[in-house]
């Protein structure tokens, strides 16, 4: 007889495992089907995020930043180090340990919550039915009252630069270099391009980023992206905008050919990372007879509450519309697991924070000034530079700014944008304020400890009404 569950989740990335844990907490008999093969060739939970995404990239960003600091920044503090060495394999090994700890942690959480991990491939057959094909062995049909699709995304490949897994790689390959390439090319100056480019640049590679768009980081508030661009180029990142890659010749060197406003160009590199975006993973996800609706961009079609067109089937995370961010998928997973338990479930898509973990970090929530202008929304903006923040100066990290945008009539916060130290942590305060429908005045009246970086958020909020203390308004 077919195995029977209350909830079956396909995909154990952040969206899927959050859905599964909450479903189990809600008293449902839950199974998760996932066939991801992680380090050491063993099945691993956690999906892209834990295995080859958020976590390993942040581990390498941290290590490379420590190296860069030791090499370039400690002398300013009066700390003199004769020689700073670099052991790339050790750095990669440390990253692998961090990943292993976390993916193993999810396996323990599954055990603790009595969630069954079915290792293999899942295919939706229709309402209440999934085909499970184990990594080894025969496929079987499993039954579930509720099915949650959480199959994530994968890198987009381009014909101009076919991956070879050695010298031309995607983000996964870029996490595994065993030595520092002398010259590194990156196609796409988006989130992955900038994060991975920063890692290898800090470790000594000469990095050139080829970005097809004429503007830099288009989704970011223009004032912040200008500031970040200035800081990145000062660090030595060679960011070429309006550069459309046409082909790559893989001889002794890699010759990357591209076209920009001045015509045909080329650049020689030793390794090339292709980071031109990701696409939803729906290959083999549903049988034709299931009639799962996929939208024109390849995402599983869902409503606001992540219901697909098939009764009892939901989809969450990167495989559905919205930003491809781990925390967005996590909240969707939790929402769905609560909805099927007849509890309250909701995701506020207007307050999803974004973070780019470069140096400086870039973080934002809500609307950019350019978007508000285009939409004709009346607003007031205030900003505050980290150069006037005592803590930032003490840390020797005074580049960047905080910008607060509020509605001109109601003063309600519409967006907060940060370029600078610990922007990833500072943005949380803005998210909370926005979730509670707070105003720039609210943020300006809240006591912030001194001396902290968060005082810059406070001052930027005060600056909306030209009342910042440490700045000529
Ligand atoms: P995934 O994490 O992609 O997981 C999907 C899982 O489903 C995988 O294990 C896959 O093998 C499995 N699967 C797919 N199809 C099937 C099937 N048919 N049967 C069984 N299993 C299947 N986001 C952030 O918020 N912060 C970051 O700092 C960040 N950094 C990133 C860095 C990199 C280099 C990359 C590539 C991504 C990063 N992201 C980051 C994005 C983040 O990883 C994704 O948004 C997130 O992983 C999406 O979660 P998910 O659960 O929807 O899918
Ligand atoms: P992205 O959309 O952030 O950037 C891709 C860039 O490549 C864009 O700027 C695009 O204009 C450019 N591009 C596209 N085709 C090109 C071409 N042929 N030649 C040159 N440039 C080209 O995508 P990504 O950096 O691959 O990241 C994918 C997604 O993963 C992100 O959108 C994000 O959702 C997620 N992610 C998040 C984080 C984070 O939260 N810190 C980190 C990494 C990835």
């Amino acid at each position: 007889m077919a195995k029977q569950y209350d909830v079956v989740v396909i995909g154990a990335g952040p969206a899927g495992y959050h859905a599964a844990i909450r479903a189990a907490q809600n008293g449902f008999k839950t199974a998760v089907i996932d066939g991801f093969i992680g380090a050491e060739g063993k099945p691993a939970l956690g999906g892209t995020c834990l295995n080859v995404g958020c976590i390993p990239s942040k581990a390498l960003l941290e290590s490379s930043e420590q190296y860069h600091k030791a090499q370039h920044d400690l002398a300013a503090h009066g700390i003199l180090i004769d020689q700073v060495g670099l052991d790339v394999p050790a750095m990669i090994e440390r990253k692998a340990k961090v990943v292993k700890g976390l993916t193993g942690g999810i396996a323990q959480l599954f055990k603790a919550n009595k969630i069954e991990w079915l290792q293999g491939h899942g295919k939706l057959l229709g309402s209440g039915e999934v085909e499970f094909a184990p990594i080894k062995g025969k496929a079987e049909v499993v039954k579930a009252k509720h099915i949650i699709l959480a199959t994530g995304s994968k890198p987009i490949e381009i014909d101009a630069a076919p991956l070879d897994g050695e010298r031309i790689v995607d983000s996964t390959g870029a996490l595994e270099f065993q030595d520092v390439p002398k010259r590194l090319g990156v196609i796409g100056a988006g989130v992955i391009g900038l994060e991975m480019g920063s890692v290898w640049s800090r470790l000594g590679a000469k990095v050139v980023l080829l970005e097809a768009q004429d503007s830099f980081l288009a989704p970011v508030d223009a004032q912040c992206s200008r500031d970040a661009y200035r800081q990145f180029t000062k660090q030595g990142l060679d960011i070429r905008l309006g550069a459309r890659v046409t082909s790559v010749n893989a001889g002794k060197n890699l010759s990357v050919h591209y076209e920009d406003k001045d015509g045909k160009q080329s650049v020689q590199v030793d390794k090339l990372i292709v980071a031109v975006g990701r696409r939803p993973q729906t290959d083999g996800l549903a049988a034709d007879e299931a009639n799962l609706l996929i939208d024109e961009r390849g995402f599983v079609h869902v409503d606001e509450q992540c219901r697909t067109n098939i009764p009892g089937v939901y989809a969450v995370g990167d495989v559905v519309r919205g930003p491809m961010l781990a925390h967005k998928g996590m909240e969707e997973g939790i929402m769905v697991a609560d909805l099927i338990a007849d509890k309250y479930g909701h995701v506020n898509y207007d307050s999803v924070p974004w973070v780019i973990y470069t140096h400086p970090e870039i973080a934002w929530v809500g609307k950019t000034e350019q978007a508000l202008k285009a939409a004709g929304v009346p607003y007031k903006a205030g900003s505050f530079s980290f150069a006037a923040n005592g803590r930032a100066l003490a840390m020797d990290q005074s580049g960047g700014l905080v910008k607060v945008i509020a509605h001109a009539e109601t003063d309600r916060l519409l967006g907060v944008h940060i370029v600078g130290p610990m922007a990833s942590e500072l943005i949380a305060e803005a998210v909370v304020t926005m979730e509670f429908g707070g105003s720039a005045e609210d943020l300006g009246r809240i006591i912030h400890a001194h001396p902290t970086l968060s005082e810059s958020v406070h001052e930027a909020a005060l600056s909306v009404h030209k009342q910042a203390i440490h700045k000529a308004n």
Side-chain angles (χ1 to χ4, degrees), residues 142-153:
V142 297
K143 295 196 179 271
K145 281 185 217 133
H146 311 278
I147 296 167
I148 304 174
L149 311 176
T151 50
S153 63

Side-chain angles (χ1 to χ4, degrees), residues 10-17 33-37 44-58 118 120-123 150-155 171-172 175 191-192 195-196 278 281 283-285 316-319 323-329 353 355 357:
I10 306 182
Y17 85 71
I33 303 176
D34 192 290
F36 190 93
I37 302 297
L45 295 169
T48 304
C49 174
L50 266 60
N51 290 284
V52 291
C54 323
I55 299 302
S57 60
K58 265 78 260 177
L118 306 177
H121 185 268
K123 183 194 233 178
T151 50
S153 63
K154 56 186 196 182
S171 57
T172 302
L175 293 164
V191 193
I192 293 180
E195 289 188 356
M196 296 316 301
R278 296 177 62 82
Q281 165 61 283
D283 311 340
L285 171 60
V316 294
D318 279 13
V319 79
M324 287 184 167
L325 295 174
H327 42 283
K328 172 262 193 187
V355 179
Y357 296 82

